[in-house]
Every structure is written in structure tokens, then in C-alpha cells.
Amino acid sequence: MENVTYLVCIPKGALYYCANKIQNFLWNKYNLGPLLPELHLTIDAYYYEDAVGLESIKYSIGDILKDIESFEINSNGFSYMPEPYNCITVHIVKDQKLKSIYEYIHISMQERGFKTREFTSEEIVFHISLAGIHGRKWSLAESKNAWRDIR
């Protein structure tokens, strides 16, 4: 059986603060659940068969990331992903720095023999999910109302 694990980064500063306030508002207003998921930006996903494969991914990621310095991410607004996701996100600007970091990690993992998602740096849409992916499944009407709330 094939499993998947994700490489994510956790934003800091004003972006995190603002996204967290909006996430709290949505989760409270729409009663999406007792536990807020950690805000994060998914960088890539890796497939593995067993615990040995997962450990190998962790080791390789650690080795690759030691060459990458902290980097800034920027947002230019919100996005709404319709059904089946009904997800509201913070849209992350795909600047050259973020694209090059994604390409470096993605290609490095492929060169080490890992199965990755099939997105190129041009295809991937970077975002931070605020509501809709985790927690209680909400209705299309609720997600549309929430989208109107934050726009």
C-alpha cells in the first residue's frame, strides 16, 4: 500500500498573524471543529511503502534542506476552490525564489529515487488553506457565504 507524506513550511510574521485571525474567524463562525489545523504552505508530497521508506524521505529532506536558507513568502489575496474542496485559501505569490526552491527540492528528491507529485514549478499553485480541507465538512452554501465574508 502506498502512503504519502508532505513537506510543508510554516509562515511567520504578519502573513501568519493575519491568516490565523481569518482562520479563527471562519472556524468559529461556521463551527468547523474544536482544533484549528496548523497554518502551512505545502511544498511537495512524497510517496512511500513502509516505515523504512518514510525514514529515508526524512533523511533526504533534512540533507537537502540544509542548503536552503529561510525565505519570505508573500500573498496577493484569497482564493476559493469550489467542490469537491469548498476550500478558502490565502493565495501565495509564486515568485522566482519560491519557484527555484520548489524546483531544487523536487528535482533533488526525484534524483534520489523518490516518487513525487507530478507538478512542475509552473503548474503548482501555492496556497495556505484556511477552511474547507480540515474539520467538519461544510456545505457549498456555507463555503460560499464564508468566501463572501472574507472578500
Side-chain angles (χ1 to χ4, degrees):
M1 178 175 180
E2 196 169 61
N3 302 294
V4 65
T5 189
Y6 298 90
L7 173 63
V8 302
C9 62
I10 308 298
K12 295 186 203 176
L15 177 61
Y16 183 86
Y17 176 79
C18 293
N20 186 257
K21 290 201 58 100
I22 295 165
Q23 182 190 43
N24 273 293
F25 165 77
L26 292 172
W27 278 66
N28 289 329
K29 181 172 182 177
Y30 294 95
N31 192 26
L32 296 176
L35 298 174
L36 287 171
E38 180 72 45
L39 292 172
H40 64 275
L41 170 63
T42 300
I43 300 294
D44 210 349
Y46 311 102
Y47 300 91
Y48 64 97
E49 295 291 330
D50 53 27
V52 173
L54 181 58
E55 285 304 313
S56 183
I57 289 170
K58 287 182 192 178
Y59 175 81
S60 293
I61 288 292
D63 191 45
I64 292 165
L65 292 182
K66 72 180 186 326
D67 296 330
I68 299 175
E69 295 179 14
S70 293
F71 58 96
E72 188 171 322
I73 57 173
N74 297 296
S75 169
N76 64 353
F78 300 98
S79 300
Y80 175 73
M81 295 181 193
E83 288 187 317
Y85 305 105
N86 289 341
C87 186
I88 296 174
T89 71
V90 176
H91 185 263
I92 300 301
V93 176
K94 187 173 24 176
D95 59 18
Q96 190 55 46
K97 179 74 172 174
L98 183 54
K99 282 172 60 173
S100 69
I101 288 170
Y102 171 79
E103 289 169 356
Y104 175 72
I105 295 169
H106 188 75
I107 291 167
S108 294
M109 289 297 282
Q110 287 176 332
E111 288 173 346
R112 291 172 183 231
F114 295 103
K115 182 178 175 190
T116 63
R117 293 191 297 185
E118 295 298 323
F119 295 120
T120 67
S121 62
E122 296 302 321
E123 296 167 325
I124 194 165
V125 176
F126 291 109
H127 63 277
I128 297 171
S129 296
L130 298 174
I133 297 294
H134 304 285
R136 172 181 73 76
K137 182 170 173 52
W138 59 354
S139 69
L140 181 60
E142 287 176 307
S143 65
K144 285 184 175 182
N145 285 336
W147 175 236
R148 282 191 283 277
D149 287 344
I150 66 164
R151 287 193 330 187

